[in-house]
Amino acid sequence: MEKIHPFAENRLEKILKIDSLLIPYEKEILKRINNILVTEEKLTQGKMSLSEFASGHEYFGLHFRDNKWIFREWVPNASKIYLIGNMTDWKEKEEFALGKINNDGVWAIEMPSYAMNHGDHFRLKIIWDGGSGDRIPAYARRVVQDHSTLIFNAQVWKPEPPYKWRYPDFKRSKKPPIIYEAHIGMAQEDERVGTFIEFTDKILPKIASLGYNTIQLMAIQEHPYYGSFGYHVSNFFAVSSRFGTPYELKELIDTAHELGLSVLMDIVHSHSVSNEIEGLSRFDGTFYQYFHDGKRGIHEAWDSRCFDYGKHQVLHFLLSNCRFWLDEFHLDGFRFDGITSMLYLHHGLGMDFVSYNDYFNENIDIEAYTYLALANAVIHDLRSDAVTIAEDVSGMPGIGIPIDHGGLGFDFRFAMNVPDYWIKLVKESKDEFWHMGHLWFELTNRRKDEKTISYCESHDQALVGDQTLIFRIIGSKMYDRMNVWIEDIVVDRGISLHKLIRLITIATSDYGYLNFMGNEFGHPEWIDFPRKDNGWSYKYARRQWSLLGKLNLRYRFLYMFDKDMISFINCKRLLEYRYVEFLYEQNYDKILAFHRGGIIFVFNFHPTMSYVDYQIACPAGKYKILINTDDRKYGGHGRIDNEQDYFTMFIKREDTINNYISLYLPNRTALVLERVD
């Protein structure tokens, strides 16, 4: 190891106090901490802060300053570069030739104001020893596709007047995030790609009315293949033009802020599309400019390129990308996609991660680990209220620990074990065999040193190859048996379990909850983007909101339940009480009860058995029902009187004396009760 940074051992001491199980790995942890500190010093050279270093987007790319156009690009292997486009009739002209300005491979050109105009299309013609190719600039802020030729080009983007923010000082609420995950393109009902304008006008009000306080937007960075769901990014600084303009995205975010909604973006820094003209692959003729050379630079499972996080130019590019989206679009944070793939040289493929040994070995990519810490440092330095969420399936220790305490600095980690467990239960066993103790463990098993966000299903569980929970339960009967006038035991089971699964997931979540767009009302079928195999159809890449207006269908019941559930969580500020106290579990009866923030939750998961005078130990007092999943307004059977008062009884059993509440618990029903006296 190189010389130990003076702050490294102090950070090591802090993280070992937080998690004593890390003590056997203190040498490896010290190495990681030291690498973060040393790398930051190398990048800033004591001349600037890290967030000031992360300003490459203000230097590279196309800019209009002092009444002239300035363009710069890092292309170390180039021997000649031309700007080509509308202004050159797509020909190489010497007056649009770039010149090399330093030994690091930076090229630049200055042009008069009349050389380019707002809306012009352009790209680079890069020539290197033995070859050449057209490339879209790495820092391009606007990329558009010609719908007739399907060719992508950069576009000059200088609208007049520029967007004027109505809520420039918006600050994210400190309340736990209740997230509505959304995809702009499939947010509308027609079989086509939706727009930012439609989302702003039609979907934002729905999200706000449901009570969610945060939106997580997918597929915002430009990507050439719509069916990649936005995870094969080609142009990291460009808003996906299929949905509209940068101006329209700003209007969407501004309007969300007006409604009190924070806006997070899926940021994809774990890999890049392998396309060459549209993307960064072989940008200067080499395979290793932005990415690792050879096999390490190729993610075979994803057919994409893997960044070389050890290069300071790559760190400059990615850190600047974090700052760009905060500065330019006033985003309130990021969900970092594919963290597991970044952290491990094996990308986490085929791994179970059953012990700490899996986190500390030769398969760890320490350079990627360092980048994630630096990214969190930049983001939180720029916006103290910004949120960063790690999508990590491995459970790497320290992800949610602050950087100055030896961790990576993420605010939250998704509890990815929870949706995986729900799918496993629904897919592999009947609910009469669900084990209440195992369920409780999975829902509450988390590190004390990090905040997690739970969810039943995200977009992952709804894609082709998988199914939403309700579709997996009800199956094809969703097509013709969701009518309120038709009695069907399969549909009844699906409606009941849909409510129970959501309620127990949010009630036991650590510090946040996520729902994918439309799943709150049991949206039918799966998500399948247009592709060759389905005849390029948009049939399954949309949301059928009109189902909610059809009074003869049951979807509106689930929608109302979700709305009331979120309202209750917000009203009682339930997620601010992180401690969830176990009260009772009886696996044979399929009963599970717990206490949180003065609220009692009792679940009966039994498919057929209803119980009269079922006694649960709880604090003494008078209780009233807040939520009853069997209520008819939620598609239930109305077997419980919601106005009834419940009084605890003082009962001696064996060697214990306790207070018990006696409840009628119909099958597949949950009750939420509050002490009122």
Side-chain angles (χ1 to χ4, degrees):
M1 185 189 299
E2 55 187 308
K3 185 179 178 181
I4 300 298
H5 191 280
F7 295 159
E9 291 185 341
N10 178 259
R11 292 186 179 184
L12 173 66
E13 183 180 347
K14 289 179 179 178
I15 194 171
L16 294 183
K17 284 184 178 179
I18 293 172
D19 187 352
S20 60
L21 294 176
L22 294 172
I23 292 176
Y25 311 98
E26 61 179 296
K27 288 185 178 179
E28 176 61 29
I29 296 171
L30 181 61
K31 180 180 176 182
R32 296 180 188 182
I33 294 172
N34 195 64
N35 198 62
I36 294 167
L37 290 163
V38 170
T39 301
E40 181 175 353
E41 284 195 348
K42 288 180 179 178
L43 297 178
T44 62
Q45 298 181 352
K47 300 177 181 179
M48 65 190 87
S49 68
L50 188 63
S51 56
E52 289 172 327
F53 169 80
S55 300
H57 54 291
E58 298 299 341
Y59 180 78
F60 291 109
L62 181 67
H63 301 278
F64 188 78
R65 291 175 181 152
D66 299 326
N67 203 35
K68 61 184 176 182
W69 292 103
I70 302 172
F71 180 86
R72 303 184 188 94
E73 192 77 62
W74 174 57
V75 202
N77 191 49
S79 57
K80 192 80 173 178
I81 304 177
Y82 294 92
L83 270 175
I84 60 173
N86 298 140
M87 62 287 182
T88 71
D89 293 325
W90 298 99
K91 298 176 183 177
E92 299 157 26
K93 294 184 177 181
E94 288 305 315
E95 60 265 38
F96 286 91
L98 280 67
K100 195 172 185 179
I101 64 173
N102 62 30
N103 294 327
D104 291 332
V106 177
W107 296 69
I109 183 175
E110 292 187 7
M111 299 168 286
S113 60
Y114 56 80
M116 305 180 82
N117 297 297
H118 173 68
D120 281 350
H121 292 190
F122 70 99
R123 58 171 63 184
L124 298 175
K125 181 71 171 185
I126 301 177
I127 301 168
W128 56 82
D129 186 18
S132 65
D134 286 6
R135 298 290 186 265
I136 293 177
Y139 286 81
R141 298 193 180 193
R142 174 75 169 155
V143 175
V144 295
Q145 185 179 28
D146 185 300
H147 295 295
S148 59
T149 65
L150 302 182
I151 293 174
F152 286 87
N153 284 300
Q155 185 180 46
V156 179
W157 188 252
K158 188 179 176 295
E160 295 294 346
Y163 186 81
K164 185 176 181 180
W165 290 93
R166 291 178 285 118
Y167 298 89
D169 300 320
F170 177 84
K171 296 294 182 184
R172 187 189 69 84
S173 168
K174 294 184 179 179
K175 296 178 181 178
I178 302 179
I179 303 171
Y180 198 86
E181 184 185 29
H183 184 284
I184 301 296
M186 61 176 290
Q188 43 63 52
E189 188 151 357
D190 295 337
E191 294 184 27
R192 56 176 174 80
V193 179
T195 68
F196 291 130
I197 293 175
E198 291 172 320
F199 193 91
T200 302
D201 293 343
K202 299 178 181 179
I203 309 304
L204 284 181
K206 292 181 189 292
I207 298 171
S209 68
L210 279 168
Y212 291 82
N213 59 28
T214 305
I215 305 171
Q216 181 179 299
L217 294 178
M218 306 174 63
I220 295 301
Q221 294 170 294
E222 187 62 83
H223 47 290
Y225 179 44
Y226 189 47
S228 75
F229 230 147
Y231 292 119
H232 276 183
V233 174
S234 53
N235 311 105
F236 288 78
F237 292 84
V239 174
S240 179
S241 59
R242 345 179 128 76
F243 311 136
T245 68
Y247 192 103
E248 291 161 354
L249 175 58
K250 291 176 181 180
E251 175 64 27
L252 185 159
I253 294 169
D254 220 4
T255 304
H257 289 167
E258 181 181 11
L259 294 169
L261 298 166
S262 300
V263 184
L264 312 181
M265 184 186 88
D266 265 4
I267 195 165
V268 184
H269 286 177
S270 48
H271 64 133
S272 176
V273 71
S274 57
N275 298 38
E276 295 180 359
I277 294 178
E278 300 91 354
L280 298 174
S281 186
R282 222 165 64 91
F283 190 82
D284 69 350
T286 68
F287 283 96
Y288 51 80
Q289 182 186 357
Y290 284 94
F291 311 105
H292 288 289
D293 199 11
K295 289 185 177 181
R296 189 177 175 188
I298 300 174
H299 198 307
E300 294 184 356
W302 292 351
D303 186 26
S304 57
R305 300 301 313 278
C306 300
F307 285 107
D308 183 351
Y309 303 100
K311 280 188 174 181
H312 76 269
Q313 297 95 337
V314 174
L315 293 177
H316 194 210
F317 178 82
L318 295 175
L319 292 174
S320 298
N321 193 235
C322 294
R323 176 163 192 168
F324 167 76
W325 290 102
L326 292 175
D327 287 354
E328 186 69 17
F329 290 94
H330 294 202
L331 286 163
D332 305 300
F334 304 99
R335 167 197 180 267
F336 275 76
D337 177 68
I339 295 297
T340 308
S341 179
M342 296 174 68
L343 290 173
Y344 306 93
L345 298 179
H346 50 57
H347 304 304
L349 300 174
M351 296 295 297
D352 292 329
F353 299 101
V354 294
S355 78
Y356 272 38
N357 292 330
D358 295 322
Y359 308 122
F360 301 98
N361 53 54
E362 67 282 357
N363 285 312
I364 305 302
D365 188 335
I366 190 171
E367 293 163 346
Y369 187 97
T370 296
Y371 164 67
L372 290 171
L374 297 177
N376 274 297
V378 166
I379 293 164
H380 292 114
D381 181 56
L382 291 168
R383 283 276 303 271
S384 60
D385 64 314
V387 164
T388 57
I389 305 174
E391 189 218 21
D392 171 45
V393 71
S394 75
M396 168 72 79
I399 276 186
I401 294 176
I403 297 169
D404 60 2
H405 282 59
L408 277 179
F410 281 97
D411 297 293
F412 304 100
R413 181 178 66 82
F414 278 135
M416 299 181 73
N417 63 300
V418 174
D420 287 347
Y421 190 70
W422 283 124
I423 290 294
K424 180 180 176 65
L425 283 182
V426 171
K427 184 178 179 180
E428 298 181 3
S429 63
K430 298 178 180 179
D431 41 315
E432 53 258 44
F433 301 125
W434 293 3
H435 194 288
M436 296 296 100
H438 294 169
L439 176 59
W440 174 257
F441 175 80
E442 288 293 339
L443 291 172
T444 59
N445 179 31
R446 46 189 172 246
R447 298 183 189 279
K448 294 180 181 180
D449 55 54
E450 65 184 16
K451 296 177 181 178
T452 59
I453 295 173
S454 293
Y455 55 103
C456 316
E457 48 189 348
S458 66
H459 69 272
D460 285 329
Q461 286 74 34
L463 290 168
V464 164
D466 211 330
Q467 295 176 5
T468 60
L469 285 168
I470 198 164
F471 196 74
R472 194 174 285 282
I473 297 170
I474 298 179
S476 62
K477 291 196 174 188
M478 290 195 76
Y479 297 124
D480 57 10
R481 308 293 288 181
M482 288 292 282
N483 195 300
V484 295
W485 307 114
I486 299 174
E487 292 187 12
D488 190 289
I489 59 172
V490 173
V491 171
D492 185 69
R493 173 178 181 258
I495 296 290
S496 299
L497 289 180
H498 191 270
K499 293 177 288 187
L500 295 185
I501 288 171
R502 272 162 169 68
L503 180 60
I504 198 170
T505 299
I506 195 171
T508 57
S509 64
D510 180 29
Y511 204 77
Y513 175 76
L514 175 140
N515 166 65
F516 178 67
M517 175 178 67
N519 283 359
E520 70 275 6
F521 66 87
H523 194 281
E525 301 171 326
W526 51 84
I527 299 169
D528 186 14
F529 279 81
R531 53 193 172 87
K532 185 177 180 180
D533 291 345
N534 66 15
W536 304 104
S537 170
Y538 287 87
K539 181 179 179 181
Y540 300 108
R542 60 193 180 111
R543 298 284 91 176
Q544 298 182 58
W545 304 107
S546 62
L547 293 173
L548 295 173
K550 297 180 178 180
L551 300 183
N552 63 317
L553 298 181
R554 289 182 165 90
Y555 297 102
R556 58 190 173 90
F557 298 140
L558 297 179
Y559 188 84
M560 180 58 70
F561 175 76
D562 194 81
K563 185 174 184 177
D564 286 355
M565 179 183 76
I566 299 298
S567 175
F568 150 70
I569 294 294
N570 288 330
C571 180
K572 300 302 177 181
R573 303 173 67 176
L574 197 76
L575 300 187
E576 296 179 36
Y577 300 91
R578 295 191 66 190
Y579 181 62
V580 185
E581 180 185 4
F582 173 83
L583 290 179
Y584 180 82
E585 175 251 317
Q586 221 304 333
N587 188 55
Y588 181 80
D589 293 341
K590 302 303 173 194
I591 303 294
L592 186 59
F594 54 90
H595 181 272
R596 184 173 191 172
I599 307 296
I600 302 292
F601 295 83
V602 184
F603 289 80
N604 177 9
F605 276 94
H606 204 288
T608 58
M609 292 296 296
S610 298
Y611 305 102
V612 178
D613 295 331
Y614 206 97
Q615 296 176 350
I616 305 290
C618 64
K622 173 185 173 183
Y623 288 83
K624 291 192 73 69
I625 293 176
L626 294 178
I627 291 182
N628 161 26
T629 65
D630 194 51
D631 197 309
R632 290 191 183 278
K633 67 179 178 179
Y634 305 140
H637 300 285
R639 292 170 287 182
I640 298 173
D641 180 4
N642 292 332
E643 301 304 317
Q644 180 178 337
D645 294 328
Y646 295 86
F647 297 88
T648 54
M649 299 173 290
F650 198 59
I651 300 175
K652 180 178 181 180
R653 288 183 176 169
E654 298 179 352
D655 297 329
T656 63
I657 301 176
N658 217 330
N659 292 288
Y660 291 84
I661 191 169
S662 183
L663 301 169
Y664 170 45
L665 299 176
N667 66 306
R668 292 197 182 115
T669 293
L671 294 180
V672 180
L673 303 107
E674 180 181 33
R675 189 170 63 179
V676 294
D677 184 14

